[in-house]
Amino acid sequence: MSIAISEDVLTDGSVLLARQPVFNKSQDVQAYSLLYRSDNGCLPTEFSDEQATASVILNNYAVASCDGKTKHLPLFVKLTQSMLLSDMLPNLPRESVIFELLREDGISKELLSVLRQRKEEGYRFALTHYTGDKAQTPLLDLMHVVKIDIQRHDDAELKKLVTFCKPYRVHLLADKVESQDDFRRAIGFGFNLFQGYFLCRPVSIKGKSFGSAKVLIMELLAELNNSAATAQSVEQIVINDPAMTYKILRLVNSAAFSTPKQIESISHAVSLIGMDQLKKWATLFLLSGQSGKPVELTRVMLIRGRMCELLAEMLSYSQPINFFMVGLLSQLDAMMDTEMQVLLDQIPLDDSIKDAILTRVNQMGEILTEVQHYERAEWTEMRNLLERPYYEVAYRHSLNWADQVLASLQE
């Protein structure tokens, strides 16, 4: 399915938008941090338009699906002192946004006065990269969140920073949490919000294998990869698992598939879905319901897979479904806490897909690398295989699609 750039996409091509989740101790998403790139280093000009902001920013980057329901989460938006002092606050609902004050040299009385006034008006602010500098202390009374880069400080420094901040009753956000060890370390020091890529890294529990239900799904994947497969041969596998049967029947009528039909049989449902699409969904069934894993990891995997697929379509590459598989499964090791090579040996996939995941070779690996750079806001590392607005609209579409899929899987 190809998608056209809609009218509300950033037309000057100078801005890219992405988001990064902010978690609590239970690894539930509490907010999203908006990541952006613009040529002049300021907020996108779109932020000055109330209608565009409400429809594009909040309805795409601050929405998530959980337990089959859609919810709106606060959005962290970066703000420079010069923008604050020049009265350029984006016209966003105050309950939906936390303005992230970038650390700059010099804290004037004027800045403190404006912050105090805005706080009284109901605005919330977060201080980025708090280091304990005495010049930053007057800001603490005015902040809702204080963000500390835990990679920049040793244990003694972190303990001192946290202890100093506690009387100000701010939320302490641990930034650059890159591993589960970092996460546990930050919890131990008293942080209650966490941001980083720790969900996307495996803990590496060796010897873990798939349960019986997962084995059946892999049998289904093997049949779907068989060129001689038919709807009837697929049906013979599916009917052995009532849960999978139910999921496939629900899938045909789900918002993610959007073709309501009266289903006569499993083989009829398979024919309506199509072999390629069913291969995609069988992979989702393999990942869904993984015990102990936060929903957000599944969401990230879905977004990455769909964006890889869309970019492949936009570039007119053949077999976009394979690009989806590469993107989706590229974090399978984090989901299963097992080495990637061990996991891929258990899944009947084409060698080119496995090679793209393991070594980032071929077109699929190239697209996967491009999408990874985008989602991490590593804009300068991107090869820009397409004009910038295409990336933004593909990412936005992928966010919405992932939430539709999660809602279908969790119902």
Side-chain angles (χ1 to χ4, degrees):
M1 179 190 72
S2 60
I3 55 175
I5 293 185
S6 54
E7 293 180 0
D8 58 0
V9 162
L10 310 178
T11 55
D12 63 1
S14 64
V15 175
L16 295 174
L17 299 175
R19 74 183 190 188
Q20 185 180 8
V22 175
F23 300 95
N24 63 13
K25 292 180 182 179
S26 301
Q27 298 187 24
D28 297 321
V29 182
Q30 297 298 291
Y32 284 110
S33 181
L34 185 67
L35 310 174
Y36 66 88
R37 180 202 187 281
S38 63
D39 288 337
N40 60 11
C42 296
L43 287 168
T45 54
E46 180 183 348
F47 278 43
S48 62
D49 186 292
E50 183 176 4
Q51 184 177 2
T53 295
S55 62
V56 178
I57 304 299
L58 293 179
N59 291 337
N60 287 276
Y61 297 96
V63 175
S65 174
C66 187
D67 299 325
K69 299 177 181 179
T70 298
K71 62 179 181 179
H72 287 261
L73 298 170
L75 195 66
F76 282 76
V77 177
K78 291 180 173 59
L79 191 71
T80 63
Q81 288 189 26
S82 58
M83 292 187 67
L84 181 62
L85 294 176
S86 59
D87 197 26
M88 292 174 60
L89 276 180
N91 195 4
L92 296 169
R94 298 170 195 181
E95 69 279 2
S96 301
V97 67
I98 299 171
F99 289 111
E100 196 171 338
L101 189 63
L102 298 176
R103 184 174 183 267
E104 297 177 14
D105 293 333
I107 298 174
S108 64
K109 291 182 179 180
E110 182 184 8
L111 173 65
L112 295 173
S113 176
V114 171
L115 282 170
R116 191 170 292 107
Q117 178 184 346
R118 294 302 191 187
K119 182 179 180 181
E120 291 173 356
E121 293 171 356
Y123 288 98
R124 293 179 295 175
F125 295 94
L127 179 61
T128 300
H129 300 319
Y130 175 67
T131 62
D133 187 338
K134 290 183 179 180
Q136 295 175 299
T137 302
L139 293 171
L140 296 179
D141 269 328
L142 305 171
M143 295 296 113
H144 181 70
V145 175
V146 170
K147 181 183 289 190
I148 299 174
D149 182 346
I150 66 168
Q151 302 298 336
R152 293 183 57 181
H153 304 281
D154 60 27
D155 287 358
E157 291 170 338
L158 282 177
K159 182 178 181 180
K160 183 177 179 180
L161 291 174
V162 169
T163 301
F164 188 81
C165 288
K166 278 186 177 179
Y168 294 93
R169 300 184 182 278
V170 293
H171 292 283
L172 290 173
L173 193 159
D175 193 20
K176 305 291 178 63
V177 182
E178 300 298 307
S179 67
Q180 288 293 330
D181 285 341
D182 284 343
F183 179 60
R184 288 188 287 269
R185 175 177 176 239
I187 289 178
F189 281 110
F191 288 90
N192 60 346
L193 295 174
F194 311 86
Q195 188 170 11
Y197 296 101
F198 64 102
L199 282 188
C200 301
R201 297 182 186 273
V203 179
S204 295
I205 303 174
K206 294 184 179 181
K208 192 171 182 179
S209 60
F210 294 109
S212 57
K214 305 292 186 182
V215 170
L216 189 66
I217 295 174
M218 288 194 293
E219 184 181 344
L220 174 60
L221 278 171
E223 181 63 20
L224 291 169
N225 277 281
N226 180 359
S227 59
T230 64
Q232 288 71 30
S233 67
V234 170
E235 180 181 52
Q236 292 306 306
I237 297 173
V238 172
I239 59 176
N240 291 308
D241 185 350
M244 191 191 304
T245 300
Y246 175 74
K247 286 180 179 179
I248 288 177
L249 293 175
R250 285 292 305 271
L251 170 60
V252 181
N253 286 315
S254 72
F257 198 71
S258 67
T259 54
K261 300 283 185 181
Q262 290 293 321
I263 307 302
E264 299 171 359
S265 64
I266 293 297
S267 59
H268 181 207
V270 171
S271 298
L272 288 172
I273 296 170
M275 292 294 189
D276 276 352
Q277 288 297 314
L278 187 56
K279 185 190 300 184
K280 176 189 295 187
W281 281 89
T283 309
L284 298 181
F285 297 158
L286 182 67
L287 300 178
S288 65
Q290 188 62 33
S291 177
K293 289 297 179 181
V295 172
E296 188 63 22
L297 178 55
T298 304
R299 192 193 325 277
V300 170
M301 297 170 77
L302 290 170
I303 293 168
R304 181 181 289 186
R306 183 60 174 148
M307 188 171 179
C308 285
E309 182 181 26
L310 288 174
L311 292 183
E313 290 179 352
M314 291 175 177
L315 289 163
S316 299
Y317 290 165
S318 62
Q319 296 184 296
I321 182 65
N322 289 346
F323 289 78
F324 172 84
M325 301 290 281
V326 165
L328 183 78
L329 296 177
S330 62
Q331 295 182 100
L332 183 62
D333 54 347
M335 176 66 74
M336 299 297 296
D337 289 329
T338 305
E339 293 179 5
M340 184 66 83
Q341 183 69 66
V342 173
L343 291 169
L344 292 182
D345 286 344
Q346 300 181 59
I347 301 177
L349 291 174
D350 187 274
D351 285 342
S352 63
I353 294 177
K354 295 182 179 182
D355 290 341
I357 294 171
L358 289 171
T359 63
R360 302 299 192 265
V361 297
N362 61 44
Q363 283 184 331
M364 291 180 288
E366 180 183 50
I367 291 294
L368 173 59
T369 300
E370 194 81 339
V371 171
Q372 284 181 296
H373 287 320
Y374 187 97
E375 65 190 16
R376 287 175 175 252
E378 296 168 346
W379 316 121
T380 58
E381 302 297 320
M382 293 171 57
R383 295 188 60 189
N384 295 319
L385 302 173
L386 292 160
E387 293 181 6
R388 290 176 186 169
Y390 286 92
Y391 286 90
E392 199 276 336
V393 76
Y395 182 74
R396 185 196 310 172
H397 175 93
S398 299
L399 294 180
N400 293 336
W401 181 84
D403 280 332
Q404 288 181 352
V405 170
L406 278 175
S408 298
L409 292 175
Q410 294 167 3
E411 285 177 354

